[in-house]
Amino acid sequence: MDRRREWLEVIPSDRLARVGLGIVLGLLTLAIFGPMVSPYDPVTQDLSNRLESPSLSHPLGTDQLGRDVLTRLLHGARLSFGIAVAVTSVRLVVGTAVGLVAGYAGGWVDEALMRLVDTLLAFPGIVLALVIAGILGPSLVNVMLALAVVGWASYARLVRSKVLSLREREFVTAARLLGRSRTHVVIRHLIPNVIAPVVVLATLDIGGVILGTAGLSFLGLGAQPPTPEWGTMLASGRNYLRQAWWLVNAPGICIMLAVLGFNLLGDSLRDQLSPTQSAQMEQL
């Protein structure tokens, strides 16, 4: 009950957390309901209205092919959030599983898994994702796969460090003496105690995935035109920056707000749910 109350009291007690939550919920609401309300199609071209400046009929103007920018942003928000949640979920599940096995099993299993983790962490994540996406070819699915592959190692190292400190605690020792199986110890005693830092890392990670997806799409490795993705919109609008500033500013501001919202929320969760993990999280 105390743990549940602690989780429920985090958001109301911190101003930055409320700001971050407000930004995230606002963007999520637009992503879910915006495309249903917009009267325009995100990919239908109307060359007679190309590069139209913001107006009542087109609040954020139109692009070089006459498509409504606001409509494309709303569809792009749904795509970006969906990708971020999917990639982060894969990272979390794989990394947590590896960290639990390495930390609890120890020995050569721990050594082998941690050397793999160290190898992945030796490379900048975005550079490694760029290489993987480049090898696999331009595709949104390949970008998701690349980002998932390079991101799980941070979860594994965080969970392993937590498990190493937990497996010698009295309640784990007592469970062993009572004859509980390893699976029982992991599920009933270890996983509940690693949830908080993992959730904090995942919250921070979502913003990074959104930024990484947009960056790779901007370079032509992710979503391909006419898909309304924020990074692709930035790439196609950069040639019209002087005559149609809204083509770049609109998706750029959306990316900034999304990353800012999740970072504010994640920082506040880290400080309040697991303050002792702050130093460890800084090193990941």
Side-chain angles (χ1 to χ4, degrees):
M1 183 62 66
D2 292 339
R3 182 177 292 273
R4 293 180 181 177
R5 185 176 303 145
E6 182 184 11
W7 278 82
L8 292 175
E9 290 177 353
V10 169
I11 301 303
S13 65
D14 188 272
R15 183 176 62 181
L16 288 180
R18 292 197 297 267
V19 171
L21 182 63
I23 294 174
V24 170
L25 289 180
L27 290 175
L28 280 175
T29 301
L30 292 175
I32 295 172
F33 299 106
M36 303 177 186
V37 177
S38 176
Y40 302 104
D41 185 88
V43 298
T44 300
Q45 302 179 15
D46 183 8
L47 297 179
S48 61
N49 291 322
R50 64 188 302 270
L51 297 179
E52 190 175 292
S53 59
S55 61
L56 290 178
S57 57
H58 299 284
L60 292 179
T62 61
D63 63 9
Q64 69 276 14
L65 297 176
R67 298 169 298 194
D68 183 67
V69 173
L70 178 59
T71 300
R72 289 177 61 79
L73 280 178
L74 295 174
H75 283 266
R78 179 179 291 182
L79 186 62
S80 294
F81 279 109
I83 291 172
V85 171
V87 171
T88 303
S89 298
V90 173
R91 288 180 171 186
L92 186 152
V93 171
V94 174
T96 301
V98 171
L100 285 169
V101 172
Y104 193 62
W108 68 267
V109 175
D110 180 27
E111 189 70 20
L113 291 176
M114 285 304 101
R115 295 298 74 78
L116 175 60
V117 169
D118 290 340
T119 301
L120 287 175
L121 293 177
F123 299 93
I126 189 64
V127 174
L128 188 56
L130 180 63
V131 172
I132 295 174
I135 293 174
L136 296 177
S139 165
L140 201 53
V141 174
N142 290 340
V143 164
M144 294 173 64
L145 179 61
L147 291 173
V149 167
V150 303
W152 63 265
S154 296
Y155 292 88
R157 189 168 71 171
L158 176 65
V159 171
R160 173 185 176 268
S161 65
K162 188 71 174 176
V163 171
L164 287 177
S165 65
L166 288 171
R167 70 180 185 180
E168 305 301 330
R169 298 279 295 273
E170 292 80 2
F171 60 90
V172 175
T173 303
R176 290 174 183 165
L177 293 176
L178 289 172
R180 305 300 185 188
S181 65
R182 287 190 171 188
T183 302
H184 175 89
V185 173
V186 169
I187 294 176
R188 294 294 300 274
H189 299 289
L190 296 183
I191 291 180
N193 285 284
V194 302
I195 287 178
V198 167
V199 169
V200 171
L201 180 57
T203 305
L204 292 167
D205 209 21
I206 291 178
V209 173
I210 291 175
L211 189 60
T213 303
L216 293 175
S217 294
F218 180 84
L219 296 174
L221 295 174
Q224 301 298 305
T227 304
E229 196 276 332
W230 289 344
T232 305
M233 293 176 65
L234 276 172
S236 61
R238 69 181 187 275
N239 296 325
Y240 304 90
L241 183 59
R242 292 189 176 182
Q243 62 185 114
W245 52 266
W246 55 88
L247 295 184
V248 172
N249 288 359
I253 290 173
C254 285
I255 295 171
M256 180 199 70
L257 287 176
V259 175
L260 176 64
F262 281 107
N263 282 351
L264 290 177
L265 187 57
D267 283 340
S268 298
L269 288 173
R270 179 183 62 184
D271 293 339
Q272 298 191 46
L273 284 179
S274 50
T276 59
Q277 293 291 332
S278 295
Q280 295 181 33
M281 296 283 289
E282 294 289 345
Q283 300 173 2
L284 296 179

